Structure formats: structure tokens, C-alpha cells
């Protein structure tokens, strides 16, 4: 190396170049030579050696080496060999330049650190992916923890590189950072809050990737697709994505539908509104007609026998419908709906099945259907619910009941035609 250096220096002198420019040219030439050597070594390593390694690892039966290849971990190894060559050649190449040599050595050391950092970061990403595929960590916020590890690693690398450049011990910077704790806490406030929230979310199993959540404050209603250190990403049903700060899942309320999904049944809780004017007692003729409805044939007979025994004991005059106990068409309709749900193949019988009256209001008397489907699939659920209420809307008229709705234009037109006929 010294012989080449001396020959090149003699060549420059013989070429008539001024002596004050020769050191500068030698330094620039040395830098250029190192750069070319690094580039050529990098290209050779990446094109030949790494291709062989990647091809070999993809042929093995292990999956982890394929993940490392996909995360370009081996590609980043191509930076190490050039970095080591630059570091080894620098002291000899710039031995005669006391001012330049330390700078070049520092640049080489920084190059090695950055190359090593790239390898470690790609390795961490590969480990994160491998763990995320394991059933043990499937619903854990691994991304949050690995993000934290990477942040700490970035800070450590920054301190080490800074200490190399300035020539100070890393402890010197740690002491300085200790005095800047308040500023650091302010800068990394969201990160710290996100870390605490991620730990609490994981420990308490508050939310997992894949959960269906609702958070009206952020107009979020959909599936959780990612839990990171700073945000939880929710894919809404309209296919938009909402990013919510992680700590809001600890400080604010939200609805998680996981319990419904795990139960295997989804609730139906909807009412039909009955016009109160159409509610009446059941007379004998109507009762005989109700007995022909298969779902309530036995009920009507048993109920009438019970009512007759009760009225007989009290000696009630049953010539008037209002006297004593009587069935009502709304009561019979409620029993019909209940039996209809009990016989329905898509309604879970091991969960609550209930048909009840709610307080009446200006829209009539609400009859609420409360039950659970035997599926949690949204499409199937909506289909089952629609089929049930299709039937109930049509069946109400068979009990001389009228469903309430606000008058439409056609209703007003029909009323006007009736008055015109009179």
C-alpha cells in the first residue's frame, strides 16, 4: 500500500502538479478508491453470494429462513463486507495524514454501525412476523412491543454514532439526556401513552386484531386490522380505515362485539307497532278461527279452558265480553309470535326467546321480539331477521290487528276518495 502511495505521489510530482495540491489529490483519490471498492464489493456480494444464499434458504424445509429472505435480512448483509473493507483499509491508506485519518476512521465505523443496524432491524421484523403467525401471539399487540424495541434501538444507535463522531463516551450523552427528561417526555408523550395502553390492552384482553368494535367518537365501526404502539387501525364497513390513538381504548368507552361472535348467536331486538284501536276481546267465532292456526291451536284450547274454569268459580256473567277473564287478539298474537320463534330453525333455543309489550306511545303499542340467531354472520343474520318480520307483518292481519305507520300520500288520497264517494 505504501509503495503504491509513493509511486502515485511521484507520478503527480513528475506531472508538474503544484506540491500544495498533491496532498489534497491524494486524499480525494484515497476516498474515491475506498468508495469504488465498497461499491464493487457490495455489487458482487449482492449479485452472486446473496443470490446463492437466498436460493439455498428457499429450498430448505424451514420457514424461518424464508421469512428472513422476504424481509431482506440477507440483502442487508451485503453492506457488512464493504464496511469491513473500508474500515480495514482506512488506517493504511491515510497513515500519512493525521488530520484526515481519524475522520475517515469515524466514517468507516459509522458505516459499519449503520450496516449492522439495518441487519438487526430486518431481523426484528422477521421475528415479529414469525411470532405473529403463532397461535400463542395471534391476538397480542406484538407490533406495539416491536415498535418500542426499534425505537429504543434507534435511540441507542444514535447515541453510539454521536459518541463516535464527537469522541465522547456514550455515558456523557446519557447524562445530558437525563437533564432533558422533561423535554423527552413531552416529545415522546404519545409513544409512552401508547406503550402503557398497549400493555393494558394486552393484559386485560380489551381488544384484539379481528375484533369488531364501535367507537362513535371517531366514527369507527368495523374490524380491527392492526394494533400498533401509537394507533389502532379499524377497517369500517364502508371499507374506509380509521386510525385511533391506542390510549383512547383505555380512557374512552367503546363497544366490542367479540362476545357476540364467540357466543355463536346474534341478538334480534326489534318491535312491531300495533294500532291500539284494533286491539279487542276474542269472541267465540274469532276463537274458533284462531284454533285453526297450527302454532296456537293447543294454546287457544288450553287458555279457553282455564278462563272458563276461572269465570265459573266466580260465577261471572259471560254474556258480555267485557265481563270476567277473556283472551285478546293482541295476547293471542304474542303467543303466536313466541311459538313461531320457538319453532324457527334459525333461532337458538338455549338463549333468551321473548315476546313482550313495551309502553305504548303516540305510535301505538310496541310488541318487541327478543331472541338470538344461530349464526353471527352479518348477511345470514340480516336474512333471518328479515324473514321473521316479513312473516309477522303479514300475520298481524290474521289476528285483526293493524300495524301502525305514519300516513303516506296514498293513505291521504284513499281517505279523500272515500269521502268523495259519500
Amino acid at each position: 500500500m505504501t509503495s503504491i502511495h509513493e509511486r502515485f505521489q511521484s507520478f503527480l510530482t513528475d506531472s508538474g502538479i503544484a506540491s500544495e495540491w498533491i496532498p489534497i489529490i491524494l486524499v480525494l483519490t484515497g476516498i474515491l478508491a475506498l468508495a469504488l471498492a465498497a461499491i464493487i464489493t457490495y455489487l458482487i456480494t449482492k449479485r452472486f453470494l446473496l443470490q446463492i444464499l437466498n436460493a439455498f434458504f428457499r429450498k430448505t424445509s424451514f420457514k424461518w429462513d424464508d421469512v428472513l429472505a422476504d424481509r431482506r435480512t440477507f440483502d442487508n448483509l451485503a453492506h457488512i463486507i464493504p464496511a469491513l473493507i473500508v474500515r480495514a483499509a482506512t488506517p493504511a491508506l491515510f497513515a500519512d495524514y493525521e488530520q484526515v485519518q481519524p475522520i475517515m476512521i469515524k466514517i468507516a465505523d459509522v458505516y459499519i454501525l449503520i450496516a449492522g443496524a439495518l441487519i438487526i432491524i430486518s431481523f426484528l421484523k422477521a421475528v415479529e412476523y414469525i411470532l405473529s403467525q403463532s397461535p400463542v401471539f395471534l391476538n397480542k399487540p406484538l407490533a406495539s412491543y416491536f415498535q418500542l424495541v426499534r425505537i429504543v434501538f434507534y435511540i441507542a444507535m444514535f447515541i453510539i454514532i454521536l459518541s463516535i463522531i464527537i469522541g465522547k463516551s456514550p455515558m456523557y450523552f446519557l447524562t445530558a439526556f437525563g437533564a432533558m427528561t422533561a423535554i423527552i417526555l413531552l416529545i415522546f408523550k404519545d409513544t409512552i401513552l401508547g406503550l402503557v395502553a398497549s400493555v393494558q390492552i394486552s393484559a386485560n384482553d380489551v381488544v384484539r386484531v379481528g375484533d369488531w368494535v364501535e367507537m362513535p367518537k371517531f366514527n369507527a365501526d368495523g374490524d380491527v386490522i392492526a394494533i400498533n404502539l401509537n394507533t389502532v387501525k379499524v377497517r369500517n364497513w364502508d371499507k374506509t380505515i380509521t386510525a385511533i390513538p391506542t390510549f383512547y381504548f383505555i380512557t374512552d368507552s367503546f363497544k366490542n362485539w367479540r362476545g357476540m361472535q364467540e357466543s355463536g348467536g346474534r341478538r334480534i331486538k326489534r318491535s312491531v307497532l300495533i294500532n291500539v284501536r284494533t286491539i279487542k276481546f276474542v269472541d267465540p267465532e274469532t276463537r274458533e278461527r284462531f284454533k285453526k292456526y297450527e302454532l296456537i291451536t293447543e294454546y287457544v284450547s288450553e287458555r279457553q279452558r282455564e278462563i272458563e274454569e276461572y269465570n265459573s268459580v266466580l260465577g261471572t256473567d259471560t254474556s258480555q265480553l267485557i265481563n270476567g277473564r277473556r283472551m285478546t287478539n293482541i295476547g293471542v298474537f304474542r303467543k303466536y309470535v313466541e311459538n313461531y320463534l320457538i319453532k324457527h330453525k334459525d333461532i337458538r333455543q338455549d338463549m333468551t326467546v321473548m315476546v313482550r309489550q313495551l309502553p305504548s306511545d303516540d305510535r301505538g303499542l310496541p310488541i318487541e321480539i327478543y331472541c338470538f340467531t344461530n349464526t353471527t354472520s352479518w348477511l345470514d343474520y340480516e336474512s333471518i331477521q328479515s324473514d321473521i318480520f316479513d312473516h309477522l307483518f303479514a300475520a298481524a292481519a290474521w289476528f285483526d290487528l293493524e300495524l301502525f305507520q305514519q300516513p303516506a300520500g296514498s293513505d291521504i288520497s284513499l281517505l279523500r276518495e272515500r269521502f268523495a264517494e259519500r
Side-chain angles (χ1 to χ4, degrees):
M1 183 70 72
T2 304
S3 176
I4 296 174
H5 182 271
E6 291 176 351
R7 290 180 182 179
F8 185 63
Q9 186 174 2
S10 299
F11 171 76
L12 293 176
T13 303
D14 295 340
S15 300
I17 298 175
S19 59
E20 62 269 16
W21 286 99
I22 291 177
I24 298 175
I25 294 174
L26 290 173
V27 170
L28 293 176
T29 303
I31 294 174
L32 180 61
L34 284 177
L36 287 175
I39 293 172
I40 293 172
T41 307
Y42 171 76
L43 293 177
I44 293 174
T45 304
K46 186 173 182 180
R47 177 159 296 185
F48 297 105
L49 180 60
L50 293 183
Q51 283 186 356
I52 295 172
L53 283 176
N54 285 331
F56 171 76
F57 286 126
R58 291 187 186 280
K59 291 180 180 179
T60 62
S61 58
F62 302 105
K63 293 184 177 180
W64 59 267
D65 51 6
D66 295 335
V67 176
L68 291 175
D70 293 336
R71 294 301 181 276
R72 304 179 65 85
T73 303
F74 303 123
D75 291 358
N76 290 323
L77 286 173
H79 292 281
I80 283 292
I81 296 178
L84 294 176
I85 290 176
V86 170
R87 180 63 177 83
T90 296
L93 194 60
F94 299 98
D96 297 333
Y97 305 96
E98 297 181 355
Q99 294 180 345
V100 177
Q101 187 186 44
I103 297 175
M104 295 305 300
I105 290 176
K106 288 180 179 180
I107 293 174
D109 290 340
V110 170
Y111 184 15
I112 293 174
L113 283 174
I114 293 175
L118 291 174
I119 295 173
I120 294 174
I121 291 300
S122 61
F123 179 76
L124 287 175
K125 290 181 179 179
V127 172
E128 178 184 352
Y129 177 80
I130 293 171
L131 292 180
S132 66
Q133 302 305 306
S134 172
V136 178
F137 300 99
L138 188 60
N139 298 313
K140 303 300 180 183
L142 287 176
S144 300
Y145 300 133
F146 277 92
Q147 278 185 336
L148 177 64
V149 171
R150 287 196 290 270
I151 289 173
V152 173
F153 180 73
Y154 289 143
I155 293 174
M157 291 301 300
F158 175 75
I159 292 174
I160 294 173
I161 291 174
L162 201 60
S163 66
I164 291 174
I165 294 173
I166 298 179
K168 297 286 187 179
S169 170
M171 295 304 299
Y172 172 81
F173 296 99
L174 291 176
T175 304
F177 286 152
M180 299 171 62
T181 302
I183 298 176
I184 293 174
L185 290 176
L186 182 62
I187 294 173
F188 293 100
K189 180 190 71 173
D190 292 339
T191 302
I192 295 171
L193 289 175
L195 172 62
V196 174
S198 296
V199 172
Q200 290 182 324
I201 286 174
S202 177
N204 298 322
D205 200 18
V206 175
V207 64
R208 306 173 187 167
V209 173
D211 284 355
W212 170 14
V213 299
E214 285 186 56
M215 187 172 279
K217 179 178 179 179
F218 295 94
N219 294 321
D221 183 9
D223 292 333
V224 175
I225 59 175
I227 302 176
N228 299 320
L229 192 61
N230 294 320
T231 59
V232 174
K233 292 183 179 179
V234 178
R235 179 185 287 116
N236 301 308
W237 301 124
D238 58 2
K239 300 306 179 183
T240 60
I241 294 178
T242 302
I244 305 171
T246 307
F247 58 84
Y248 279 112
F249 282 85
I250 301 299
T251 59
D252 287 25
S253 62
F254 69 97
K255 182 184 289 186
N256 190 334
W257 289 82
R258 189 202 312 157
M260 176 273 294
Q261 294 172 328
E262 291 178 346
S263 70
R266 185 170 176 183
R267 185 185 68 177
I268 295 176
K269 186 175 182 289
R270 187 183 291 183
S271 300
V272 292
L273 299 173
I274 304 298
N275 190 335
V276 177
R277 183 176 57 83
T278 61
I279 298 176
K280 61 183 180 181
F281 291 116
V282 176
D283 57 30
E285 293 78 11
T286 304
R287 184 172 63 247
E288 292 303 316
R289 176 160 55 89
F290 286 170
K291 286 182 180 180
K292 298 178 182 179
Y293 304 163
E294 291 183 352
L295 289 177
I296 54 173
T297 299
E298 185 177 347
Y299 166 76
V300 173
S301 300
E302 292 295 331
R303 184 67 169 169
Q304 182 60 28
R305 185 181 306 108
E306 178 187 338
I307 290 173
E308 289 176 353
E309 290 178 357
Y310 180 86
N311 290 334
S312 176
V313 171
L314 295 180
T316 304
D317 178 11
T318 57
S319 60
Q320 299 296 323
L321 288 178
I322 195 172
N323 292 336
R325 291 179 61 183
R326 298 283 181 176
M327 282 187 285
T328 61
N329 59 345
I330 188 70
V332 177
F333 178 68
R334 281 194 295 107
K335 189 63 179 179
Y336 174 84
V337 175
E338 181 180 324
N339 288 345
Y340 177 78
L341 295 175
I342 291 174
K343 298 292 185 180
H344 201 292
K345 64 182 181 63
D346 295 319
I347 299 299
R348 293 192 58 158
Q349 303 305 316
D350 57 337
M351 295 184 175
T352 303
V353 177
M354 178 174 60
V355 181
R356 62 173 181 166
Q357 286 187 15
L358 298 180
S360 60
D361 54 25
D362 56 350
R363 299 177 300 166
L365 177 66
I367 300 296
E368 183 183 75
I369 286 77
Y370 191 102
C371 59
F372 293 82
T373 62
N374 60 4
T375 178
T376 60
S377 170
W378 190 9
L379 293 177
D380 294 338
Y381 166 79
E382 292 294 348
S383 178
I384 294 169
Q385 181 173 236
S386 297
D387 287 344
I388 290 174
F389 280 88
D390 287 348
H391 181 84
L392 297 185
F393 289 150
W398 291 73
F399 293 87
D400 302 326
L401 293 169
E402 181 181 311
L403 301 181
F404 177 85
Q405 67 176 10
Q406 296 289 346
S410 58
D411 296 326
I412 297 174
S413 298
L414 180 61
L415 183 62
R416 182 177 61 185
E417 291 174 1
R418 289 180 178 177
F419 273 108
E421 292 175 357
R422 294 181 182 179

